[in-house]
């Protein structure tokens, strides 16, 4: 109990079922600083990935991943600053909150892009590339239409996008076994 009383100022109350989480002032500051701190390394890392790419396909993939990473930190930083310091501008805050959620979908898709584009993962990988980006678009439309209304559906979108590329691993293993058996028979 003493621990809870000592750190009470860092904690907030639970979010209502269909309401938005209300961070404390300390959480706002931590979100702003940690996200802003990572913008420059994301830009530098993206530039290095692009520069170290060997061919056009790798350059495009590095660009997609780099843009997703940079957008994530930039949009999230702006949202947290507006939410912390300009919360009286409800329309602006709401807009940036939606953008923050939307960019998460695109970052998930962008983070799978190098893995799905640059490795031989079997026939399922080509379908998974499209599925991930369609899920990102679907998540964006969902956020635009139903922002903060059905949190379980939003969680389902995030989890589906996060775990569905694991199906490619089963396809990759099967594809590798077929190649191995074929090479052993010849």
């Amino acid at each position: 109990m003493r621990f809870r009383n000592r750190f009470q100022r860092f904690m907030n109350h639970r979010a209502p079922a269909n309401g938005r989480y209300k961070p404390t002032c300390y959480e706002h500051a931590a979100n702003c600083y940690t996200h802003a701190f990572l913008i420059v390394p994301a830009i530098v890392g993206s530039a290095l990935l692009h520069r170290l790419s060997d061919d056009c396909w790798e350059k495009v993939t590095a660009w997609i991943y780099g843009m997703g990473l940079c957008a994530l930190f930039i949009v999230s930083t702006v949202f947290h600053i507006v939410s912390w310091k300009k919360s009286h501008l409800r329309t602006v805050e709401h807009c940036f909150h939606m953008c923050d959620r939307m960019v998460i979908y695109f970052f998930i898709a962008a983070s799978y892009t190098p893995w799905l584009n640059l490795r031989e993962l079997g026939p399922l990988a080509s379908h998974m590339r499209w599925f991930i980006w369609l899920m990102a678009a679907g998540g964006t439309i969902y956020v635009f239409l139903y922002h903060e209304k059905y949190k379980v559906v939003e969680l389902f979108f995030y989890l589906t996008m996060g775990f569905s590329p694991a199906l490619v691993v089963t396809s990759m293993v099967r594809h590798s076994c077929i190649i191995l058996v074929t090479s052993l028979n010849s």
Side-chain angles (χ1 to χ4, degrees), residues 8-12 21-29 84:
Q8 191 68 37
R9 67 176 181 216
F10 298 111
M11 300 176 188
N12 61 356
Y21 177 75
K22 304 280 189 219
T24 64
C25 189
Y26 295 103
E27 286 178 291
H28 276 304
W84 182 27

Side-chain angles (χ1 to χ4, degrees), residues 48-105:
L48 283 172
L49 278 175
H50 193 268
R51 185 160 190 231
L52 296 173
S53 299
D54 292 329
D55 58 21
C56 184
W57 194 239
E58 285 183 9
K59 285 185 186 298
V60 168
T61 301
W63 184 84
I64 291 170
Y65 177 74
M67 291 302 291
L69 185 64
C70 293
L72 177 75
F73 289 125
I74 292 168
V75 170
S76 189
T77 300
V78 172
F79 161 65
H80 287 297
I81 289 171
V82 168
S83 180
W84 182 27
K85 295 296 185 181
K86 302 291 183 191
S87 61
H88 60 281
L89 303 173
R90 285 286 177 215
T91 306
V92 174
E93 181 188 12
H94 181 72
C95 177
F96 276 109
H97 192 224
M98 287 175 53
C99 290
D100 184 53
R101 293 294 172 90
M102 291 174 191
V103 81
I104 292 170
Y105 288 111

